[in-house]
């Protein structure tokens, strides 16, 4: 008797299963339309830090003579930087080298160099730091690289603008199609750049430029100078998926 009624019980269950909408991996329901929008956003912030490399290059008839003179001169440069208000933690050795010259007017002599990286956390004092280093005898210099200490805040502002732009573009599409935005499905970070510094998600940055070497100390009237911070632009992109429904 039981086997006689089993097919009758199974039929409604099979019918109910057929009525379930198929799962859409994009996240839209059966009555929604998927709209994918890309947009960019920008924010401009005044840099508040300066980074540069400075050092000394010396020549001598022996390796010891060149090295001793180099050590004495770089000590003067570092002392001048500290006197200008740069703390020791913001002065870092980048290059120390010595080599015998095999060509040119100085063939047979030895060349020694010592380069330090300097971070000035008050950009208004960056010019004074550069002047102090050059007046102390620095003859190797590159930079400055002007930076934003709170780069995350600047990037987040740009991302906010990017999302607003994406939503405005989606609204334009929805109005044209006589639809409305029902919800946001996904937001994907496209990365970007802050000045010449890259924000995660963007392609890797180019290799750093080697320091410019000057073999003679700069004249006092050319040393240092006023550094204009200007504005640094953070530019990012996002891709947002919206679900649209009829009005």
């Amino acid at each position: 008797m039981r086997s006689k009624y089993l097919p009758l019980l199974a039929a409604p269950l099979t019918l109910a299963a057929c009525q379930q909408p198929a799962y859409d991996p994009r996240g839209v329901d059966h009555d929604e339309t998927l709209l994918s929008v890309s947009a960019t956003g920008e924010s401009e912030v005044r840099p508040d830090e300066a980074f540069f490399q400075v050092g000394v290059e010396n020549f001598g008839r022996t390796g010891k003579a060149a090295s001793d003179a180099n050590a004495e001169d770089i000590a003067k440069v570092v002392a001048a930087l500290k006197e200008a208000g740069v703390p020791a933690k913001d002065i870092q050795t980048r290059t120390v080298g010595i080599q015998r010259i095999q060509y040119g007017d100085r063939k047979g002599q030895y060349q020694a160099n010592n380069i330090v990286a300097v971070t000035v956390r008050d950009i208004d004092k960056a010019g004074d730091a550069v002047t102090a280093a050059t007046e102390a005898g620095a003859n190797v210099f590159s930079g400055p690289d002007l930076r934003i200490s709170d780069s995350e805040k600047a990037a987040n502002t740009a991302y906010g603008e990017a999302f607003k732009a994406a939503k405005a573009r989606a609204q334009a599409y929805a109005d044209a199609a006589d639809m409305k935005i029902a919800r946001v499905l996904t937001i994907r970070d496209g990365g970007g750049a802050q000045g010449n510094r890259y924000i995660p998600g963007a392609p890797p940055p180019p290799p750093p430029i080697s320091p410019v070497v000057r073999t003679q100390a700069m004249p006092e009237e050319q040393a240092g100078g006023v550094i204009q911070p200007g504005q640094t632009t953070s530019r990012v992109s996002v891709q947002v998926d919206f679900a649209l429904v009829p009005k």
Side-chain angles (χ1 to χ4, degrees):
M1 293 295 293
R2 291 182 180 179
S3 61
K4 180 179 179 181
Y5 292 98
L6 281 176
L8 296 176
L9 294 174
L13 294 176
T14 304
L15 181 60
C18 292
Q19 293 175 345
Q20 293 295 326
Y23 171 72
D24 190 330
R26 302 174 302 174
V28 294
D29 293 336
H30 69 281
D31 60 341
E32 294 177 330
T33 298
L34 174 67
L35 174 63
S36 184
V37 175
S38 296
T40 59
E42 296 182 356
S43 67
E44 291 189 345
V45 180
R46 181 182 187 269
D48 54 2
E49 292 183 349
F51 173 87
F52 60 89
Q53 295 187 69
V54 67
V56 290
E57 182 181 67
N58 300 82
F59 299 90
R61 293 188 178 277
T62 66
K64 185 177 187 306
S67 181
D68 288 348
N70 192 249
E72 181 178 346
D73 287 350
I74 193 63
K76 293 177 182 178
V77 171
V78 171
L81 287 168
K82 292 179 179 179
E83 185 67 23
V86 182
K89 69 182 181 66
D90 290 332
I91 305 173
Q92 184 182 56
T93 298
R94 281 296 173 91
T95 302
V96 177
I98 185 169
Q99 63 178 344
R100 192 171 188 271
I101 302 173
Q102 303 294 338
Y103 54 88
D105 296 340
R106 296 183 182 273
K107 182 178 180 180
Q109 295 186 21
Y110 288 82
Q111 177 191 47
N113 63 78
N114 191 317
I115 300 172
V116 295
V118 182
T119 301
V120 182
R121 301 187 186 279
D122 183 350
I123 200 167
D124 294 328
K125 298 180 179 179
D128 293 340
V130 173
T131 299
T134 53
E135 288 183 346
N139 56 15
V140 179
F141 180 85
S142 70
D145 175 18
L146 306 183
R147 301 178 175 180
I148 299 170
S149 57
D150 191 355
S151 58
E152 189 70 15
K153 181 178 179 181
N156 287 344
T157 300
Y159 277 118
E161 294 300 318
F163 179 80
K164 291 178 183 177
K167 189 174 182 180
R169 187 170 297 176
Q171 187 64 56
Y173 275 111
D175 292 341
D178 197 25
M179 304 181 79
K180 63 181 180 180
I181 298 174
R183 57 198 177 103
V184 175
L185 299 174
T186 59
I187 303 174
R188 289 183 288 278
D189 182 351
Q194 186 174 87
N196 61 354
R197 302 178 68 190
Y198 285 72
I199 297 172
I209 299 174
S210 300
V212 176
V213 177
R214 297 182 174 87
T215 56
Q216 295 182 351
M218 288 175 283
E220 184 174 344
E221 63 269 18
Q222 296 180 8
V226 178
I227 293 177
Q228 302 292 343
Q231 297 284 325
T232 294
T233 300
S234 295
R235 184 178 293 104
V236 301
S237 64
V238 295
Q239 183 172 345
V240 186
D241 289 345
F242 296 92
L244 306 184
V245 296
K247 287 184 178 180

